[in-house]
Amino acid sequence: MQHRTLGTTGPRVSALGLGCMGMSALYGDADRDESIATIHAALDAGVTLLDTGDFYGMGHNELLIGEALRTAGAAHRENAVTSVKFGALRDPDGNWSGYDGRPQAVKTFAAYSLQRLGTGHIDIYRIARVDPDVPIEETVGAIAELVEAGHVRHIGLSEVGAETIRRAASVVPVTDLQIEYSLISRGIEDEILPTCRELGIGVTAYGVLSRGLISGHFTRDRQLAANDFRGMSPRFQGENLQRNLDLVDALRKVAEGRGVTVAQTAIAWVLARGEDIVPLVGARRRDRLAEALGALDVTLDAADLAAIEAAVPADAAAGARYPEAQMAHLDSEH
């Protein structure tokens, strides 16, 4: 397994991380046994970074990871790096009702996550979205107190813009920014990524396959389940979907020319953007995980990168990456 270091203050982790959200929520039903088997397969392959959120399935995902770690070998448990997001508020019906970044809430969220994960600490802790009613300095300051107490090891950020990154980094050491970054989501390149690099902050990139849209496996006639978030995502709607899958068809030609899959090409592109970027792959099955891990063996030269950029130009995607109501919560987009 290749490794990368998250920023100047963070841990050394596998070059690919496993995003576990889809094992519990938002992409339709998942198979619990297969999910745990996939986490075990990832650990066996040397993947150390496991990403979750306390609101994924209202705690279900943390319990799932906790079970997987308990039933893995001692070495895997020791090497696992848990990255946890908090702060999203939900009701019993699963509806979203804002974010809470108050210091006392931060510590409450952490206490529950530690219990569900069954670990002695959380490796990287971050608020999922900025609470507009609480200065970011107060939120990360509360995490710093958890670090001092030994409950958390590193402080991260999620979906924030350059100004917020600077404000947070002025009061605490920030390990990494978790943010969407892929061939069709390149908004961080103008200001956010340069700011992270200036300040020595790593990037954990989620959505590298854009929720399966650019995986090469999403078909034009696919019917999504009622509980699948993508059914409300603008990029998966009507003409937008058809235009985006046209981009995938162009990318497929490049991938076939290299003898690799579309997904491997898309992941390899993110890996090639810098040693300070760690892609998160949202595999829910062992076969998808194996395919994603194959991207680590793909080396893209200048000609390959030019061909990929020609197939999927920057800003070529049709539709926003979230519905309008959710875009409003993204500090990174303002």
Side-chain angles (χ1 to χ4, degrees):
M1 174 57 66
Q2 302 168 26
H3 293 83
R4 295 182 171 185
T5 301
L6 291 178
T8 56
T9 64
R12 191 158 178 79
V13 299
S14 52
L16 282 182
L18 182 63
C20 300
M21 180 189 75
M23 298 176 180
S24 297
L26 299 178
Y27 292 155
D29 296 335
D31 183 306
R32 183 181 186 85
D33 291 340
E34 181 61 23
S35 295
I36 291 175
T38 300
I39 295 173
H40 285 167
L43 296 169
D44 288 341
V47 173
T48 60
L49 182 60
L50 302 178
D51 184 77
T52 185
D54 63 10
F55 49 92
Y56 293 165
M58 282 67 82
H60 178 277
N61 205 238
E62 290 178 318
L63 289 168
L64 187 78
I65 291 173
E67 181 178 345
L69 290 175
R70 282 195 308 276
T71 53
H76 290 338
R77 288 195 299 275
E78 179 65 25
N79 292 332
V81 175
T82 52
S83 171
V84 179
K85 291 178 291 298
F86 67 87
L89 304 177
R90 306 186 70 178
D91 67 21
D93 295 319
N95 299 310
W96 305 87
S97 53
Y99 297 88
D100 192 344
R102 295 171 301 147
Q104 61 268 43
V106 173
K107 294 175 182 179
T108 299
F109 289 136
Y112 281 75
S113 286
L114 286 165
Q115 181 68 26
R116 286 188 290 259
L117 288 167
T119 55
H121 65 272
I122 296 166
D123 288 289
I124 312 170
Y125 204 45
R126 69 187 89 240
I127 190 166
R129 303 287 186 269
V130 172
D131 180 344
D133 297 323
V134 179
I136 192 64
E137 294 88 345
E138 293 184 16
T139 300
V140 296
I143 305 176
E145 292 178 6
L146 290 169
V147 172
E148 185 176 357
H151 303 304
V152 170
R153 290 190 172 168
H154 302 282
I155 302 168
L157 295 169
S158 175
E159 284 290 357
V160 297
E163 179 185 353
T164 303
I165 294 169
R166 292 187 184 280
R167 286 171 53 196
S170 72
V171 296
V172 299
V174 176
T175 289
D176 71 318
L177 168 68
Q178 186 173 124
I179 197 163
E180 185 168 357
Y181 187 41
S182 73
L183 271 168
I184 63 171
S185 296
R186 298 180 60 175
I188 72 170
E189 293 178 346
D190 293 336
E191 187 176 8
I192 293 173
L193 183 55
T195 299
C196 286
R197 287 176 167 163
E198 174 192 339
L199 298 175
I201 297 170
V203 171
T204 44
Y206 77 87
V208 294
L209 296 179
S210 197
R211 300 167 183 82
L213 180 58
I214 60 172
S215 68
H217 300 297
F218 202 95
T219 60
R220 294 178 185 272
D221 59 351
R222 180 170 173 178
Q223 298 297 309
L224 295 170
N227 59 345
D228 192 320
F229 155 82
R230 293 171 293 188
M232 298 180 292
S233 173
R235 289 184 174 173
F236 288 82
Q237 303 300 312
E239 184 61 28
N240 286 348
L241 175 63
Q242 302 309 315
R243 288 171 56 191
N244 291 329
L245 290 180
D246 286 343
L247 297 174
V248 177
D249 289 341
L251 184 61
R252 193 186 310 277
K253 294 177 182 177
V254 178
E256 289 175 346
R258 283 295 315 272
V260 297
T261 70
V262 174
Q264 288 167 343
T265 304
I267 296 168
W269 181 88
V270 178
L271 283 164
R273 304 306 285 178
E275 289 288 322
D276 53 350
I277 299 174
V278 175
L280 300 171
V281 295
R284 300 192 293 170
R285 300 183 344 218
R286 284 167 286 182
D287 58 338
R288 293 286 192 251
L289 172 68
E291 180 185 18
L293 291 172
L296 293 167
D297 298 321
V298 179
T299 301
L300 302 174
D301 60 23
D304 295 325
L305 292 171
I308 292 169
E309 296 265 352
V312 187
D315 301 321
R321 56 195 183 98
Y322 284 100
E324 184 176 353
Q326 294 183 38
M327 289 292 288
H329 290 291
L330 296 178
D331 181 79
S332 54
E333 295 287 339
H334 301 146

